[in-house]
Each structure stands twice: as C-alpha cells, then as structure tokens.
Amino acid sequence: SKFAYGATERVGGIKYTTTLSAHSDICYEVKVKKLIKSQVFSPEFQIEIALSKKIIANDCYQFEWSNGNGKQKAITMYRKAADVMINLLAEEENNAQNNDGNT
C-alpha cells in the first residue's frame, strides 16, 4: 500500500488511467505471470527497471515534492535509476574491452 501524498488530484497509470483524490491511500496489485531468468539481466530489462524507477521519481516530484518525505523519495528513486544505468554502461564497456582483447 502507498499513500498518494499531495494536495492535488493525481492522474496516473500507463495502461489504465485513474484519477485519485488528494491524500489518497492506494494499494497496488501486481500479478507475476512468469519469471524468465535469462531476461532478468538483459540490457533491455535493466533499462525497463531504470525507466520504472524514473517514472516513480517523476510521480513523487510532481505530487509529493512539497512534502519533505516526497522530496527525499524522488531524489532516492532518481539515484537508483541512475545507478542501474551506470552499472549497465560499465558492464557493456567491460564486455567491449574483453571482446577487443580476444581478437
């Protein structure tokens, strides 16, 4: 569950659009259809993870920034998204260097 902090209504959702009243208490339902181990560490999946973190951070920035907690949440999520991308780029660079050394 999550509190949708902020003094204004919030419209959200990527697949489904929902309008929430200010200071709503919301609960997310997640359905895992299957886990595919080989895709978890793929670059595409890592980019999706980073994008998800950025979307959450944007939401906190837009609706919760005036609340000190919202500001910290947004900054933390932006940093986590950046860390995912930095690690992905470092891994790709390392793979490229290893491939150059093998030729």
Side-chain angles (χ1 to χ4, degrees), residues 1-12 18-28 59-60 62-67 69-70 73:
S1 131
K2 177 188 184 320
F3 288 101
Y5 297 114
T8 60
E9 284 188 342
R10 181 180 291 196
V11 177
T18 304
T19 301
L20 302 171
S21 60
H23 303 289
S24 297
D25 183 12
I26 58 176
C27 183
Y28 295 100
D59 185 75
C60 290
Q62 184 177 1
F63 296 106
E64 302 175 19
W65 190 261
S66 60
N67 171 337
N69 183 43
K73 257 196 321 190

Side-chain angles (χ1 to χ4, degrees), residues 8-103:
T8 60
E9 284 188 342
R10 181 180 291 196
V11 177
I14 295 172
K15 194 170 185 179
Y16 305 102
T17 302
T18 304
T19 301
L20 302 171
S21 60
H23 303 289
S24 297
D25 183 12
I26 58 176
C27 183
Y28 295 100
E29 181 178 312
V30 178
K31 293 181 182 179
V32 177
K33 294 183 180 181
K34 64 181 173 178
L35 296 176
I36 303 173
K37 290 183 182 182
S38 63
Q39 289 184 348
V40 171
F41 298 106
S42 72
E44 294 82 10
F45 187 73
Q46 294 299 311
I47 292 169
E48 284 182 39
I49 290 172
L51 181 58
S52 295
K53 291 178 185 301
K54 180 183 172 280
I55 289 169
I56 292 169
N58 287 348
D59 185 75
C60 290
Y61 175 80
Q62 184 177 1
F63 296 106
E64 302 175 19
W65 190 261
S66 60
N67 171 337
N69 183 43
K71 180 177 182 178
Q72 190 56 47
K73 257 196 321 190
I75 291 170
T76 299
M77 291 309 292
Y78 283 129
R79 284 187 182 140
K80 287 182 178 185
D83 288 344
V84 170
M85 292 305 297
I86 289 168
N87 290 335
L88 176 62
L89 291 172
E91 186 177 314
E92 291 296 316
E93 185 175 288
N94 188 34
N95 290 340
Q97 288 177 354
N98 286 340
N99 289 337
D100 287 344
N102 292 331
T103 57

